[in-house]
Amino acid sequence: TRHAARRPADHDVGHFQREPLRLDPNAPLWVFGYGSIVWKTGFEYEERRVCVARGWRRRFYQGSTDHRGTPEFPGRTVTLEACGDDVRCWGAAYKISPRDAPAVLDLLEIREKQYDQRILVPLHEDASDDAPVVVENALTYVATAHESNLNWLGHAPVDDIAKTIARAVGPSGASRHHT
């Protein structure tokens, strides 16, 4: 649900006060992509695995005023919504070398700056109930309805979401090319 007092706006990197990541400097960083990172990764990686996040589903609830829309007409981008463990979200996990991890994190903080949460999720080999975990803690970004997220658009009728995606254009191009 969109909060009445919110006005979509672009904002600087660092708008969201994120908890520092406590990463082992000698271990690789795993990043989970469930949207544009899957087809437009934008960073170097050592390995890519198609995998599943349990208990999450994609939703076009996040407004984009910096890539696929403008503050006057935000595009809609996909985020993850927490749900029951029986729901599965396919995506790709990217293994980043310890050497490259700081630069990739810097890039992601810019690219995903409008997403208010940075979380770690376990990833499974496939969608079966007995699928093994293949990555324990993969980093991903999600948008929520928290009041600090100025660009949360939330639920809307599917036709309205589709019309927004079809019409919105931002600095990175048309929203329809993002889907």
Side-chain angles (χ1 to χ4, degrees), residues 36-43 45 48 94 107-108 111:
S36 64
I37 286 177
V38 173
W39 66 85
K40 188 177 180 181
T41 310
F43 52 82
Y45 56 90
R48 179 182 187 267
Y94 299 89
L107 178 138
L108 289 172
R111 179 177 175 162

Side-chain angles (χ1 to χ4, degrees), residues 2 15 28-29 38 47 49 71 78 81 84 86 90 102-103 106 117 119 122 132 134 152 156 167 172 179:
R2 182 134 180 233
H15 173 78
L29 168 69
V38 173
E47 180 183 346
R49 287 186 180 181
V78 71
E81 177 183 54
D86 58 325
W90 285 91
D106 287 347
Q117 289 188 5
I119 62 172
V134 291
W152 179 256
R167 293 180 32 219
S172 295
T179 55

Side-chain angles (χ1 to χ4, degrees), residues 73-153:
F73 195 88
R76 278 189 177 258
T77 56
V78 71
T79 187
L80 291 180
E81 177 183 54
C83 52
D85 194 50
D86 58 325
V87 177
R88 310 288 197 260
C89 177
W90 285 91
Y94 299 89
K95 182 181 178 183
I96 315 302
S97 73
R99 180 191 78 242
D100 293 337
V104 170
L105 282 171
D106 287 347
L107 178 138
L108 289 172
E109 284 296 303
I110 294 167
R111 179 177 175 162
E112 308 298 329
K113 71 179 183 176
Q114 291 191 340
Y115 286 69
D116 59 310
Q117 289 188 5
R118 181 177 63 193
I119 62 172
L120 298 173
V121 294
L123 300 173
H124 298 264
E125 184 174 67
D126 60 46
S128 64
D129 288 342
D130 60 348
V133 171
V134 291
V135 177
E136 288 289 333
N137 289 302
L139 177 72
T140 198
Y141 291 77
V142 297
T144 72
H146 189 274
E147 64 187 20
S148 67
N149 184 355
L150 302 175
N151 294 303
W152 179 256
L153 299 177

